[in-house]
Amino acid sequence: MNQETKRATAPSMEEVAQAVNRYEQRCGERFAPRAVLFDMDGVLFNSMPNHATSWVQTAQTFHLDMTPEEAYMHEGRTGADTINILMQRRYGRPATEAEIEQIYAEKCRLFNACPTAGKMEGADMVLARVKAAGRTICVVTGSGQQSLLERLQTGYPGYFAPERIVSSKDVKQGKPNPEPYLCALEKTGLKPHEAIVVENAPLGVTAGVAAGILTIAVNTGPLPDSALTSLGADLLFPSMTLLAGGIDAILSRGA
Ligand code: CA
């Protein structure tokens, strides 16, 4: 991926101010963030390389074409939906139930054989700043794995209360539908202009924007920034480390 398509620096104070103004015009309310809603894969954990590798290998096994970049574009989609898109393109028809089961089983087998994903660099610092600023912390993920809660608690002890975690078990429709983020607002008793979304994937940005929440894209993967900004992300940071340096200024915009 061409480096010129990705910014290397955090947004300036002026860019933050402009983004908040644009957001307030869009939603018709004064931005007053009381909570930060974090996506998990690609934001808190560096798990996307494992997902991309296992998707690409699976696609090769079943003679479906998929590039690593495409795996990142589909991040957050259900396995069945992703498989249907690949089958439709390759064979001009959706996958059968049996095919979905077989292909997704192989993807999961390869993913589970990958080394455990580490924490995303800088995420600790972002969480510490948000907590120090007295704001509520939530996680909103499409994952429904049993190990999810444990992984959050052991990786980031003291930040994620079980009642402030939205997983696939809490919603009927996953991202890009806004339901997961609306569910987080319901759990915290907040309105859209009282929260911030932090997302790394196109479908996640779409969900945050559709929920009416100021959405920060953190481009931790290989996609060009435009894959996130074209979907309405209000601000874009190149990394969680740079977001750690900028989050106080964003939170104080609504103080
Ligand atoms: Ca993600």
Side-chain angles (χ1 to χ4, degrees):
M1 193 61 62
N2 188 341
Q3 288 302 309
E4 287 173 19
T5 63
K6 298 183 75 170
R7 72 179 294 160
T9 56
S12 66
M13 293 291 280
E14 194 184 340
E15 284 175 301
V16 169
Q18 286 169 351
V20 170
N21 287 340
R22 277 197 308 272
Y23 170 78
E24 289 180 337
Q25 281 171 17
R26 187 168 88 233
C27 83
E29 300 275 1
R30 190 168 180 280
F31 179 58
R34 305 303 316 155
V36 183
L37 318 179
F38 291 92
D39 171 51
M40 189 175 76
D41 286 303
V43 169
L44 298 174
F45 293 102
N46 191 17
S47 40
M48 278 312 296
N50 287 349
H51 280 293
T53 304
S54 49
W55 268 121
V56 169
Q57 281 183 26
T58 303
Q60 277 171 357
T61 301
F62 291 93
H63 309 293
L64 302 164
D65 305 312
M66 192 184 211
T67 62
E69 285 77 16
E70 200 179 357
Y72 280 88
M73 286 300 291
H74 288 301
E75 180 186 344
R77 215 182 276 289
T78 65
D81 285 350
T82 303
I83 290 162
N84 271 323
I85 288 168
L86 298 178
M87 288 291 289
Q88 192 72 49
R89 190 175 60 195
R90 180 72 174 79
Y91 298 109
R93 64 168 178 83
T96 64
E97 286 293 320
E99 284 168 338
I100 288 172
E101 200 173 310
Q102 187 189 13
I103 295 169
Y104 194 59
E106 175 64 1
K107 191 268 169 180
C108 292
R109 188 186 70 78
L110 291 171
F111 180 76
N112 290 330
C114 289
T116 304
K119 289 158 66 172
M120 186 62 75
E121 197 178 337
D124 268 319
M125 288 189 290
V126 176
L127 293 170
R129 300 264 176 151
V130 174
K131 191 173 185 178
R135 302 321 205 269
T136 301
I137 293 171
C138 297
V139 66
V140 179
T141 175
S143 174
Q145 290 174 32
Q146 289 294 334
S147 58
L148 162 70
L149 184 60
E150 277 174 39
R151 199 165 155 233
L152 280 169
Q153 303 296 7
T154 53
Y156 298 99
Y159 286 117
F160 296 103
E163 66 272 20
R164 291 196 294 275
I165 296 174
V166 176
S167 76
S168 64
K169 292 170 194 159
D170 294 295
V171 297
K172 288 196 183 72
Q173 305 209 61
K175 302 167 191 176
N177 193 286
E179 190 185 345
Y181 282 112
L182 296 175
C183 181
L185 293 178
E186 202 176 298
K187 282 184 187 243
T188 50
L190 296 174
K191 298 197 168 68
H193 67 276
E194 294 174 316
I196 295 172
V197 163
V198 179
E199 269 284 354
N200 72 305
L203 297 181
V205 167
T206 299
V209 172
I213 304 170
L214 186 134
T215 300
I216 298 174
V218 182
N219 195 0
T220 60
L223 298 178
D225 290 345
S226 60
L228 301 166
T229 54
S230 67
L231 297 172
D234 294 281
L235 284 163
L236 184 136
F237 285 76
S239 67
M240 289 296 277
T241 304
L242 285 173
L243 177 61
I247 192 72
D248 283 339
I250 299 168
L251 291 172
S252 69
R253 286 291 305 176

